[in-house]
Amino acid sequence: MNALKFCTAIAAVAFIFGAGYPAQAQKEPSPAFRTEPPPKEASRSAPLPNLPQAAAADSRSLVQVAANSRVQPVTSHETHPEKRAPYPPPNDNCKNTKSFDAWKRDFRKLAAERGLSNRSVAIVDGTQLNPTIIQRDRKQSFFAMSFLDFQKRLATQNRVVSGKRKIAQHSDTFDRAAKEFGVPASVITGFWALESDFGAGMGKFPIMPALVTLAYDCRRSYMFTEELIAALQIIERGDMTPSTMIGSWAGEIGQTQFLPTRYLDYAIDYDGDGRIDLFSNDRDVIGSTANYMKNLGWRSNEPWLEEVRVTRDLPWDQADLAIKLPRSQWAQWGIQYPNGSPVASDNLQASLLLPMGRFGPAFLAYPNFDIYTEWNNSLNYATTAAYLSTRIDGAGAMGMGRGNTNGLDYEGTKELQRQLVARGYDVGKVDGLAGAKTRAAVKDVQIKFGLPADSFATPELLNALRRNR
């Protein structure tokens, strides 16, 4: 859960968070995400199912929307709450036309609608707008790197060793979570490592000012108003205070970076000490993360990702997370495991995942991999997290593929997107990030040009687009 995992921006180049598919509203990476462990210093509230985008994006519609979208105050934890509807997409081109004071007046009305106390209203009234937060949200600078570079930097041997050490340290708790929720220890520790390096990088930003500022800003006002309300519910319930609610600048909490709504729905007291602590209580972190994944639909006793070797001649258009076929079909097409043994010829459904096209690393992605893309819809992040979990589980190091992957850089991807838009394709934002819509358009154009349709943008494809204006 899902994403805003920021590092220091270099060379004004964008990180490819957004390369994921299926085509759903993307959860941005968490700001606490780090490429290296830092030095040791010192879910969503229910939006309207069919919310009009304009109403979601414009904070002026806040009270009107809220009247029909009330959230009952959370009084106790449920391990299987009703799944919340997804948030509407960001309104990237909006401008704030309402003053912060006027927004606060509207929020007071909304707070009354949601049953929040005067004390909660006072917290918001006493919070100052932080323009830096708005700038960070609107001008996110990411590193542009290939999947191979990405996983090499993040799925490190140090994290493999640390994950195994954490599993040994809390073997009883992990065993209990596996029995109760069906989620393996390696899967939990894979996310745990990437989200905060096991608590070393949770963020040190006061969450309330961040949520208030982002709730005011029109880009994602609806989403962060819901998250602000959830954070106030957490405080009213007594789990935290404003001064102890410290985390990422985008409001994420704890060692596996739960948004406030996710905390309300899935955070549990897993060691029975009478309180929930996702900051320093490993058992609560383990139980809460497993609970969340189970509610996302994790299927016990099933794989999530396996590295494979592909042949030189495949129906490449079938390599798509949206296409699930029996393993027997992949076996018939000659797909093998890295050691040369054949893929099992059974009916277990799997997709062929080629994050860098037909010459790069290849994986069979199973239904449980969908949980990774729901946690974070970045294809690079989801695949890296899933691969890291297999390494913690004992899998060998990843192969580098079977040839030159020859992908486009940031500027090349932007030009490709412009070429696709000129031909009537919806690629989302022309931002140099090969996201779900861009990959779908690439696949369609590859088919039209008679190229192998592996959805991976290459200079070859860009040159073909240039020639066929």
Side-chain angles (χ1 to χ4, degrees), residues 114-193:
R114 299 294 181 88
L116 293 171
S117 68
N118 290 333
R119 184 177 64 175
S120 289
V121 173
I123 293 171
V124 175
D125 280 340
T127 301
Q128 299 299 311
L129 186 69
N130 188 337
T132 301
I133 295 295
I134 296 176
Q135 293 172 8
R136 293 185 72 169
D137 187 51
R138 288 175 176 248
K139 297 179 180 179
Q140 300 164 9
S141 296
F142 300 118
F143 296 98
M145 49 174 91
S146 70
F147 167 70
L148 280 174
D149 291 338
F150 185 87
Q151 66 81 27
K152 182 179 180 180
R153 187 171 182 133
L154 299 170
T156 62
Q157 181 62 23
N158 178 62
R159 284 174 170 153
V160 172
V161 172
S162 296
K164 291 180 177 180
R165 184 184 302 121
K166 187 68 72 172
I167 292 171
Q169 180 184 357
H170 295 295
S171 59
D172 290 347
T173 304
F174 279 114
D175 288 346
R176 176 187 167 198
K179 291 176 183 176
E180 293 181 354
F181 302 108
V183 183
S186 58
V187 171
I188 297 170
T189 50
F191 278 120
W192 200 350

Side-chain angles (χ1 to χ4, degrees), residues 202-208 240-248 251-254 257 279:
M202 292 182 285
K204 297 182 179 180
F205 202 98
I207 286 174
M208 293 308 300
M240 293 176 236
T241 65
S243 63
T244 61
M245 191 174 278
I246 303 296
S248 74
E252 292 172 313
I253 300 168
Q257 295 289 277
F279 295 98

Side-chain angles (χ1 to χ4, degrees), residues 176-416:
R176 176 187 167 198
K179 291 176 183 176
E180 293 181 354
F181 302 108
V183 183
S186 58
V187 171
I188 297 170
T189 50
F191 278 120
W192 200 350
L194 293 190
E195 292 288 348
S196 74
D197 272 312
F198 302 104
M202 292 182 285
K204 297 182 179 180
F205 202 98
I207 286 174
M208 293 308 300
L211 292 176
V212 169
T213 297
L214 292 169
Y216 161 75
D217 183 38
C218 60
R219 180 174 180 264
R220 292 190 287 175
S221 180
Y222 188 83
M223 169 183 172
F224 280 103
T225 297
E226 296 296 317
E227 296 299 338
L228 173 59
I229 289 170
L232 293 170
Q233 289 176 324
I234 292 169
I235 292 170
E236 290 196 353
R237 197 170 63 190
D239 289 22
M240 293 176 236
T241 65
S243 63
T244 61
M245 191 174 278
I246 303 296
S248 74
W249 66 260
E252 292 172 313
I253 300 168
Q255 296 195 30
T256 48
Q257 295 289 277
F258 278 18
L259 283 167
T261 50
R262 186 187 298 180
Y263 179 102
L264 283 177
D265 284 353
Y266 307 114
I268 56 177
D269 171 20
Y270 208 50
D271 67 347
D273 67 354
R275 61 188 297 268
I276 299 169
D277 179 4
L278 301 189
F279 295 98
S280 59
N281 188 318
D282 284 2
R283 291 176 175 83
D284 286 358
V285 172
I286 293 167
S288 299
T289 304
N291 183 37
Y292 175 52
M293 298 190 71
K294 175 65 175 178
N295 277 274
L296 287 179
W298 187 268
R299 296 160 63 152
S300 60
N301 301 313
E302 290 191 14
W304 54 96
L305 189 78
E306 290 180 315
E307 186 182 4
V308 293
R309 291 193 328 207
V310 297
T311 63
R312 293 187 177 276
D313 185 19
L314 275 175
W316 299 112
D317 61 340
Q318 298 300 295
D320 193 318
L321 285 182
I323 299 174
K324 291 181 171 61
L325 299 171
R327 271 198 299 201
S328 58
Q329 180 62 73
W330 300 116
Q332 183 178 334
W333 283 333
I335 291 179
Q336 301 176 336
Y337 292 118
N339 63 5
S341 63
V343 168
S345 186
D346 57 25
N347 290 323
L348 185 61
Q349 298 291 298
S351 301
L352 181 59
L353 171 59
L354 304 175
M356 295 190 68
R358 65 192 186 279
F359 295 119
F363 304 90
L364 285 183
Y366 297 94
N368 275 335
F369 186 75
D370 295 345
I371 309 307
Y372 281 87
T373 57
E374 188 160 352
W375 181 295
N376 189 314
N377 260 357
S378 159
L379 183 61
N380 277 356
Y381 178 90
T383 308
T384 298
Y387 163 69
L388 177 58
S389 295
T390 66
R391 293 280 285 125
I392 293 171
D393 225 17
M398 181 189 302
M400 297 295 102
R402 57 187 181 88
N404 183 5
T405 54
N406 197 30
L408 291 173
D409 61 12
Y410 172 71
E411 291 299 333
T413 302
K414 286 183 70 174
E415 182 183 349
L416 174 85

Side-chain angles (χ1 to χ4, degrees), residues 451-468:
L451 299 172
D454 60 1
S455 304
F456 185 62
T458 63
E460 178 187 18
L461 177 62
L462 180 57
N463 288 332
L465 287 168
R466 290 166 176 163
R467 292 193 301 267
N468 290 274

